[in-house]
Amino acid sequence: NRNLKLNSLSLSLSPSLPLSPSLQCAQVSSRRWLNLQEYQSKKLMQESGVTVQRFYVADNAPDALQAAKRLGAKEIVLKAQILAGGRGKGVFDSGLKGGVHLTKDPSVVGELANRMLGYSLTTKQTPKEGVKVKTVMVAEALDITRETYFAILMDRACNGPVMVGSPQGGMDIEEVADKTPELIFKEVIDIFEGVRDDQAVRMAANLGFKGPLERQAADQIKRLYDLFLKVDATQVEVNPLGETPEGQVVCFDAKINFDDNAEFRQKAVFALDDMSESDPTETEAAKWDLKYIGLDGNIACFVNGAGLAMATCDIIDLHGGKPANFLDLGGGVKEKQVYEAFKLLTADPKVEAILVNIFGGIVNCAIIANGITKACRELELKVPLVVRLEGGYIRSAAAITEAQRKVVFWVWFNGLMWVFLGCVFAIQLQQANNGSKVISPHSVQMCATATFIRGYKEN
């Protein structure tokens, strides 16, 4: 998901804190973002009266050919439908170069689709093996005489939606804001009143639309705002919003971000979610409301809270280890979620040790303890386990783990600073692992790190 970052306008779209070193290749969000294919976004705009190119969708070559003929357009654009960007410069494993093709001959669309569908397309944003293309969009290609930029988004500074526009479209808006900030225009929208006619006309004029096109552009702006409200969007970005030689204002390309908290009333929209391109483990984690991101290391992290999870990953990295994942349990975690989280962690063949780091503010430590003991008992855990629990219901958790000593042995770190020791110990355990469970006294604070690790290796 591409977040706008217009610092010159002080748009508080997302915190701009640097990512932790171990997570620089992964963007962490509170929940998995809904992703729609291009044709799905265009269909939503169509249903709200927004002007888009005429298009059809096909999942086989004959249907793509028939769609091209039905369009009856002077020029046709064929686009592979995947969620990654950079399709135009991508390469298929069929040998075809480019996931976007223009042609004036409808008869070649079938042949091109045949070399796209069922083959993997690799771009700068896909995994190395690429993403298999299952559908193509056959659309009318329109000439663009002028490109503008327009977006509606939630702005924390304004406590509501704002319109942002620029007559300089078809390029990164961040670049425009940096080099020519005077060409960025902003209109704050009253959430109760909506977009007023004078605001829409003023924005259309600022975008450079003149004469009849100004009124037409203002109408499109109001329709886009209707869409923004209708689907509970957090951002509707159109780049470019262009004008054609025939005197049309058309939304040529759009990105819609949705408020995942509105899923309960946007069931039709969220049913469009294409999860086939998602990581299977992340998809499974999402079913249990777990925030999981796979990384390249071998020490699994089982943590509550995104901040503590990132700090734990960083500490592991600091001491020479590599985290295998980012896993945030969240505040309202249940025993079943703990169990399912362990299933995900132990299913990763790269994992050689598991570090549990829980600070029970909202989280009930007893629930965590029950879930872990059940997982160790039923999943026959075969990698070293380091557990650090502190906070709410800690005494109940201790009683549970004491009763389960024959099933699983624990390493306790009753203090936030001792998570450092836990990370070091997990790294040592992965090297010294002999397939047995972790055995350690509860009063680890009395032991020096080196003595403790040495004692484990000897015993």
Side-chain angles (χ1 to χ4, degrees), residues 158 169 221 223 256 327 400:
C158 300
I221 287 169
R223 290 176 186 270
I256 306 175
L327 176 61
I400 292 166

Side-chain angles (χ1 to χ4, degrees), residues 105-123:
D105 183 2
S107 64
V108 305
V109 170
E111 182 184 341
L112 287 169
N114 200 42
R115 298 179 67 187
M116 290 184 178
L117 292 164
Y119 292 99
S120 293
L121 174 61
T122 303
T123 76

Side-chain angles (χ1 to χ4, degrees), residues 79 213 290:
K79 292 186 174 184
L213 288 176
L290 300 168

Side-chain angles (χ1 to χ4, degrees), residues 157-215:
C158 300
N159 291 319
V162 297
M163 295 187 289
V164 178
S166 174
Q168 298 292 316
M171 63 180 74
D172 285 340
I173 193 63
E174 294 89 347
E175 185 179 338
V176 177
D178 182 51
K179 294 182 178 179
T180 53
E182 69 278 5
L183 294 179
I184 300 288
F185 299 93
K186 177 180 175 183
E187 290 277 349
V188 178
I189 302 170
D190 185 317
I191 192 66
F192 299 106
E193 191 177 7
V195 177
R196 302 189 310 271
D197 286 342
D198 65 297
Q199 283 184 304
V201 171
R202 185 162 57 247
M203 178 59 75
N206 286 334
L207 295 181
F209 292 103
K210 295 180 173 29
L213 288 176
E214 183 181 289
R215 184 70 254 177

Side-chain angles (χ1 to χ4, degrees), residues 99-254:
V100 178
H101 285 263
L102 285 166
T103 179
K104 294 182 178 179
D105 183 2
S107 64
V108 305
V109 170
E111 182 184 341
L112 287 169
N114 200 42
R115 298 179 67 187
M116 290 184 178
L117 292 164
Y119 292 99
S120 293
L121 174 61
T122 303
T123 76
K124 289 183 178 180
Q125 294 185 16
T126 64
K128 292 181 180 179
E129 65 274 14
V131 174
K132 184 172 287 188
V133 175
K134 298 178 181 178
T135 55
V136 292
M137 185 177 75
V138 186
E140 176 184 25
L142 296 174
D143 291 329
I144 307 175
T145 55
R146 200 173 61 85
E147 297 180 334
T148 72
Y149 173 92
F150 178 75
I152 303 170
L153 54 140
M154 298 301 292
D155 183 3
R156 293 176 187 170
C158 300
N159 291 319
V162 297
M163 295 187 289
V164 178
S166 174
Q168 298 292 316
M171 63 180 74
D172 285 340
I173 193 63
E174 294 89 347
E175 185 179 338
V176 177
D178 182 51
K179 294 182 178 179
T180 53
E182 69 278 5
L183 294 179
I184 300 288
F185 299 93
K186 177 180 175 183
E187 290 277 349
V188 178
I189 302 170
D190 185 317
I191 192 66
F192 299 106
E193 191 177 7
V195 177
R196 302 189 310 271
D197 286 342
D198 65 297
Q199 283 184 304
V201 171
R202 185 162 57 247
M203 178 59 75
N206 286 334
L207 295 181
F209 292 103
K210 295 180 173 29
L213 288 176
E214 183 181 289
R215 184 70 254 177
Q216 193 182 145
D219 178 64
Q220 291 296 299
I221 287 169
K222 296 196 74 171
R223 290 176 186 270
L224 285 165
Y225 182 69
D226 290 341
L227 170 66
F228 180 84
L229 292 181
K230 178 182 174 183
V231 299
D232 284 303
T234 56
Q235 177 174 309
V236 174
E237 182 188 31
V238 181
N239 191 18
L241 174 65
E243 61 179 71
T244 69
E246 294 77 26
Q248 269 189 308
V249 177
V250 180
C251 296
F252 284 94
D253 201 357

Side-chain angles (χ1 to χ4, degrees), residues 135-429:
T135 55
V136 292
M137 185 177 75
V138 186
E140 176 184 25
L142 296 174
D143 291 329
I144 307 175
T145 55
R146 200 173 61 85
E147 297 180 334
T148 72
Y149 173 92
F150 178 75
I152 303 170
L153 54 140
M154 298 301 292
D155 183 3
R156 293 176 187 170
C158 300
N159 291 319
V162 297
M163 295 187 289
V164 178
S166 174
Q168 298 292 316
M171 63 180 74
D172 285 340
I173 193 63
E174 294 89 347
E175 185 179 338
V176 177
D178 182 51
K179 294 182 178 179
T180 53
E182 69 278 5
L183 294 179
I184 300 288
F185 299 93
K186 177 180 175 183
E187 290 277 349
V188 178
I189 302 170
D190 185 317
I191 192 66
F192 299 106
E193 191 177 7
V195 177
R196 302 189 310 271
D197 286 342
D198 65 297
Q199 283 184 304
V201 171
R202 185 162 57 247
M203 178 59 75
N206 286 334
L207 295 181
F209 292 103
K210 295 180 173 29
L213 288 176
E214 183 181 289
R215 184 70 254 177
Q216 193 182 145
D219 178 64
Q220 291 296 299
I221 287 169
K222 296 196 74 171
R223 290 176 186 270
L224 285 165
Y225 182 69
D226 290 341
L227 170 66
F228 180 84
L229 292 181
K230 178 182 174 183
V231 299
D232 284 303
T234 56
Q235 177 174 309
V236 174
E237 182 188 31
V238 181
N239 191 18
L241 174 65
E243 61 179 71
T244 69
E246 294 77 26
Q248 269 189 308
V249 177
V250 180
C251 296
F252 284 94
D253 201 357
K255 176 66 178 176
I256 306 175
N257 289 348
F258 301 86
D259 184 350
D260 290 328
N261 294 309
E263 181 177 356
F264 73 97
R265 66 182 182 197
Q266 295 290 345
K267 296 189 183 300
V269 173
F270 279 78
L272 299 172
D273 194 3
D274 184 358
M275 303 184 81
S276 63
E277 296 181 30
S278 303
D279 180 274
T281 306
E282 292 181 20
T283 302
E284 181 64 24
K287 291 180 183 177
W288 299 99
D289 203 21
L290 300 168
K291 296 75 171 176
Y292 177 95
I293 296 174
L295 301 173
D296 296 330
N298 54 1
I299 299 177
C301 300
F302 181 98
V303 191
N304 68 305
L308 185 58
M310 287 191 283
T312 303
C313 289
D314 279 348
I315 292 168
I316 291 175
D317 192 72
L318 177 67
H319 288 279
K322 294 294 179 186
N325 63 275
F326 170 98
L327 176 61
D328 173 15
L329 293 176
V333 64
K334 304 298 181 186
E335 187 178 319
K336 180 64 174 175
Q337 290 171 285
V338 176
Y339 178 80
E340 293 298 330
F342 257 78
K343 282 178 65 177
L344 292 172
L345 297 180
T346 54
D348 186 348
K350 301 193 305 295
V351 169
E352 298 179 32
I354 299 175
L355 174 64
V356 177
N357 185 18
I358 300 295
F359 184 76
I362 302 173
V363 170
N364 184 328
C365 289
I367 290 176
I368 301 293
N370 272 324
I372 294 176
T373 54
K374 179 183 177 182
C376 292
R377 189 169 54 244
E378 297 184 9
L379 300 177
E380 298 182 355
L381 187 67
K382 294 188 179 355
V383 296
L385 171 65
V386 178
V387 178
R388 178 260 177 177
L389 292 176
E390 182 62 282
Y393 296 89
I394 187 65
R395 291 183 181 179
S396 299
I400 292 166
T401 58
E402 187 63 34
Q404 299 291 338
R405 291 283 287 182
K406 293 182 180 179
V407 178
V408 57
F409 296 92
W410 300 73
V411 177
W412 284 86
F413 297 92
N414 297 325
L416 189 58
M417 289 181 61
W418 288 91
V419 71
F420 286 89
L421 176 58
C423 293
V424 175
F425 187 50
I427 295 166
Q428 296 293 328
L429 286 174

Side-chain angles (χ1 to χ4, degrees), residues 83-105:
L83 296 174
R87 291 172 294 173
K89 296 182 179 179
V91 179
F92 286 91
D93 56 5
S94 65
L96 181 66
K97 293 183 179 180
V100 178
H101 285 263
L102 285 166
T103 179
K104 294 182 178 179
D105 183 2

